[in-house]
Amino acid sequence: MEVNGTATILSSAYLAVEFVDSVLPDNPLQELLKHAWNHMLQNYSKFQIATWGSLIVHELIYFLFCLPGFIFQFLPFMQKYKIQSDKPETWEKQWKCFKMLLFNHFCIQLPLICGTFYFTEFFSIPYDWDSIPRWPYVLAQCFGCAVIEDTWHYFLHRALHHRRIYKHIHKVHHDFTAPFGMQAEYAHPAETLILGAGFFIGIIIFCNHVILLWAWVTFRLMETIDVHSGYDIPLNPLHLIPFYAGARFHDFHHMNFVGNYGSTFTWWDRLFNTDSQFNKHYANNKAVKTD
């Protein structure tokens, strides 16, 4: 029964995406993108695209998305959106974070990225332009990857907070009680591997083109940098995603070291009531403001 129910949900989701795709106009930049993509295929090998292309996408997207939060600290009018306004960023903290990032990115993540080519070869993942799915399908696949990664992250993240192992691994990520965007991947190498494994599960299930690897990397980095930004910006388009956690939700986790274990969504925390302290805290804050 559960298998049939899951199949029905997936079938309905596929039909919904297919309908949306059918009514959308063609991308006006499609010919330009096609030319650029084919130029890449003609000038670089699959190994270079999968390895160095993926590394460039990761580094470029990561620090590009970190840039707004970095600039916000110098803009007085943005401080009203800072969640922990009494804990400003310092150069010392940011430099410490940056050094750890370089180690994690090039000594932990790069060896994993080097396996991308062999993954695509093993599963016969195409690279050609004609096989690229339309963007509504890519968005739907990214959402599926996010649901899977969030589930993995919730339970493993919660396990890393167990008192017997917390100080050995996850405590590193909590060096900063007031997070900032660049801290998103500041973690113990073991944590990078443990929680990072959830990133690949959705790829194994959904990946039908190398473009999904880059699209999912982009979405995941955008989300994790946003929730670590330390700023609750109004009209944030990510809040249009159903059950999206956001910066205020995750900031509370860093401030209190407990609860709010989900990475992207709030549903697991709601189901297991691990967001109760967060809800109580902000209910009290609203009551104080009302008085």
Side-chain angles (χ1 to χ4, degrees):
M1 290 294 291
E2 289 183 4
V3 173
N4 291 336
T6 303
T8 301
I9 292 171
L10 291 174
S11 178
S12 299
Y14 177 82
L15 290 173
V17 171
E18 197 171 51
F19 171 75
V20 171
D21 182 48
S22 67
V23 299
L24 288 172
D26 289 334
N27 183 353
L29 300 176
Q30 185 163 337
E31 285 304 314
L32 181 63
L33 294 173
K34 180 179 180 179
H35 176 75
W37 189 270
N38 287 331
H39 177 80
M40 177 184 71
L41 292 178
Q42 292 166 9
N43 289 276
Y44 300 96
S45 67
K46 285 185 177 181
F47 179 82
Q48 290 172 320
I49 294 169
T51 305
W52 304 118
S54 297
L55 178 66
I56 291 170
V57 168
H58 181 275
E59 296 306 302
L60 186 63
I61 293 298
Y62 189 86
F63 290 105
L64 183 64
F65 286 155
C66 286
L67 186 59
F70 178 77
I71 295 173
F72 289 165
Q73 65 184 311
F74 305 111
L75 303 176
F77 66 89
M78 290 301 298
Q79 299 315 301
K80 61 184 176 183
Y81 301 120
K82 185 166 174 60
I83 300 166
Q84 297 187 58
S85 56
D86 59 328
K87 297 178 181 177
E89 299 92 336
T90 65
W91 287 108
E92 181 184 3
K93 290 179 180 179
Q94 290 174 101
W95 177 239
K96 178 182 179 182
C97 179
F98 183 69
K99 288 187 292 183
M100 174 68 84
L101 282 179
L102 291 181
F103 176 80
N104 280 347
H105 283 189
F106 292 99
C107 296
I108 306 298
Q109 294 181 11
L110 179 56
L112 296 176
I113 290 173
C114 287
T116 304
F117 167 74
Y118 302 101
F119 166 79
T120 60
E121 288 294 294
F122 183 81
F123 288 100
S124 300
I125 305 298
Y127 287 66
D128 64 293
W129 172 264
D130 292 333
S131 299
I132 295 179
R134 293 261 291 180
W135 69 265
Y137 291 91
V138 176
L139 286 181
Q141 289 171 316
C142 285
F143 184 79
C145 288
V147 171
I148 293 169
E149 189 281 333
D150 180 75
T151 301
W152 175 274
H153 189 100
Y154 176 86
F155 291 103
L156 272 294
H157 182 195
R158 189 172 177 179
L160 289 175
H161 272 270
H162 190 281
R163 58 188 177 85
R164 291 187 177 179
I165 59 176
Y166 172 79
K167 65 181 180 180
H168 301 294
I169 300 176
H170 192 53
K171 188 177 186 298
V172 173
H173 186 65
H174 281 276
D175 278 352
F176 310 115
T177 56
F180 46 92
M182 193 167 57
Q183 191 211 342
E185 291 188 337
Y186 175 91
H188 189 286
E191 178 175 340
T192 300
L193 295 173
I194 293 168
L195 296 186
F199 173 89
F200 298 100
I201 299 174
I203 289 294
I204 293 171
I205 296 172
F206 294 112
C207 193
N208 58 354
H209 196 280
V210 72
I211 196 69
L212 178 62
L213 290 167
W214 294 353
W216 171 223
V217 164
T218 300
F219 176 82
R220 179 68 179 113
L221 290 180
M222 178 170 57
E223 174 274 322
T224 191
I225 290 168
D226 176 59
V227 302
H228 285 92
S229 68
Y231 289 85
D232 190 15
I233 308 297
L235 303 179
N236 184 338
L238 289 175
H239 286 281
L240 295 174
I241 300 172
F243 300 99
Y244 182 68
R248 192 170 291 278
F249 188 84
H250 193 70
D251 203 279
F252 184 84
H253 174 79
H254 276 266
M255 186 166 49
N256 294 275
F257 306 102
V258 67
N260 296 16
Y261 298 112
S263 60
T264 305
F265 306 107
T266 59
W267 48 51
W268 288 114
D269 285 287
R270 291 185 183 183
L271 180 63
F272 291 103
N273 201 35
T274 47
D275 62 349
S276 58
Q277 291 190 32
F278 170 77
N279 294 331
K280 183 178 179 181
H281 174 80
Y282 282 103
N284 290 339
N285 280 359
K286 289 182 179 179
V288 169
K289 289 179 180 179
T290 302
D291 293 341

